[in-house]
Amino acid sequence: MDLYMFDVDGTLTPPRQEMTLEFWSYFKKWLKGKDVYLVSGSDLNKLNQQLPQECLKEVSGIFTCMGNVLYKDHKKVYENKFEYPRGLKADLNRFLQQSEYKIKCGNHVEERVGMINFSIVGRHADQGQRKKYHRWDIKNEERKSIASYLNEKHEGKIEVTVGGEISMDICNPGKDKAQVLEYLKEKVLKDSEANITFFGDKVHKGGNDYSLARDLIQNNNKQFKCRVYAVNSYEDTLWYLKKRN
């Protein structure tokens, strides 16, 4: 069988924006008859804002919150709980107060099922503010530095990765996107042979697609033929889909 997985922000849509009409006009035809799973760091409410309802109904399953929740046929299949290590809340507050980036827009620590999303500029930032912080972060590597510190201090208790344009995803060990592959192998693929394809924009080390991309490559064998596409935008994804056809 052929199985496809897609990240959402930066892969199927512009970050935190709606899927474009150009992309959807092609993607809705491409989707027909395929086993497709969405694998997002966002929760279902945000995906409802970004993706056409027809898209959410057509896919085989929706993994949200870094794979910590799964929805199939409009029903929740499972969800995990996040366990705070001692001192993490204080660390996040300290980084927020001491950051050299002074614009703060609110909603900096967003608790989701099985994870936390942390943002210095805040998730209430509008598109202009998001772009401004993203450009600043590329130059100053603030998110990368914070993630490195938290991973070292709380080693074995949390895993912190950079996601999207403005935030970091914080999960308990093993409760990141890699868990999606384990679920699919156990519950969907079982003993079947499969061609597995994943599209993501943060598949590099430190990105929130990395663990899933890494495990796919490690599981590339006679039973599972795995391929990972590293994209920089939904335009890249569209180009690859058309090329594969």
Side-chain angles (χ1 to χ4, degrees):
M1 65 180 297
D2 293 321
L3 187 147
Y4 300 86
M5 293 184 284
F6 292 88
D7 172 50
V8 178
D9 277 354
T11 301
L12 295 181
T13 75
R16 281 300 296 130
Q17 296 185 54
E18 294 181 4
M19 181 179 284
T20 67
L21 290 176
E22 176 193 10
F23 188 94
W24 176 234
S25 64
Y26 183 85
F27 195 57
K28 65 182 177 182
K29 298 175 184 176
W30 182 89
L31 269 177
K32 298 297 182 181
K34 293 184 174 67
D35 285 316
V36 175
Y37 289 82
L38 304 180
V39 186
S40 176
S42 296
D43 56 29
L44 187 61
N45 181 55
K46 292 181 176 64
L47 297 189
N48 277 319
Q49 297 170 12
Q50 292 178 258
L51 303 176
Q53 287 301 305
E54 185 181 348
C55 178
L56 295 174
K57 293 176 182 178
E58 185 70 25
V59 297
S60 301
I62 304 169
F63 291 94
T64 66
C65 303
M66 299 288 286
N68 283 295
V69 192
L70 169 61
Y71 297 92
K72 295 188 73 172
D73 300 321
H74 310 290
K75 296 179 182 179
K76 186 184 293 183
V77 177
Y78 73 76
E79 68 175 34
N80 300 319
K81 302 296 183 183
F82 179 76
E83 296 182 9
Y84 271 93
R86 179 175 296 185
L88 177 60
K89 291 183 179 180
D91 287 335
L92 298 181
N93 185 62
R94 178 168 55 82
F95 279 120
L96 184 60
Q97 298 302 320
Q98 296 179 357
S99 173
E100 295 181 5
Y101 196 82
K102 300 307 179 184
I103 299 174
K104 307 293 193 301
C105 302
N107 192 19
H108 303 281
V109 181
E110 184 173 270
E111 295 187 0
R112 302 174 184 170
V113 178
M115 63 170 289
I116 296 171
N117 184 265
F118 178 60
S119 171
I120 293 295
V121 67
R123 300 204 62 84
H124 288 164
D126 61 26
Q127 288 301 320
Q129 292 163 333
R130 291 174 65 94
K131 296 294 184 184
K132 185 175 181 180
Y133 176 80
H134 185 54
R135 290 193 295 268
W136 183 86
D137 185 58
I138 290 174
K139 180 179 179 180
N140 293 275
E141 296 189 330
E142 178 179 59
R143 292 188 297 165
K144 182 178 179 181
S145 175
I146 293 173
S148 178
Y149 174 89
L150 292 175
N151 278 321
E152 183 175 349
K153 179 178 179 181
H154 300 282
E155 184 178 2
K157 298 178 180 178
I158 59 172
E159 296 175 350
V160 187
T161 54
V162 173
E165 292 183 314
I166 65 169
S167 64
M168 288 153 277
D169 293 318
I170 305 174
C171 303
N172 294 130
K175 298 303 180 181
D176 53 17
K177 289 188 178 183
Q179 66 185 310
V180 170
L181 179 59
E182 293 308 307
Y183 177 88
L184 293 173
K185 285 167 61 177
E186 179 181 352
K187 301 295 186 180
V188 178
L189 299 173
K190 299 181 180 179
D191 295 326
S192 301
E193 293 184 356
N195 298 310
I196 307 173
T197 304
F198 174 53
F199 290 80
D201 71 321
K202 292 290 189 297
V203 300
H204 54 275
K205 191 170 185 178
N208 66 359
D209 295 320
Y210 172 75
S211 63
L212 177 53
R214 176 202 62 209
D215 284 12
L216 281 166
I217 293 170
Q218 291 176 352
N219 278 271
N220 194 21
N221 52 42
K222 290 183 178 180
Q223 183 181 2
F224 302 124
K225 303 299 183 183
C226 303
R227 179 171 292 182
V228 174
Y229 286 94
V231 300
N232 293 313
S233 66
Y234 72 91
E235 291 99 334
D236 288 349
T237 304
L238 182 60
W239 184 84
Y240 278 121
L241 292 179
K242 290 181 175 180
K243 182 180 179 182
R244 285 175 60 89
N245 282 350

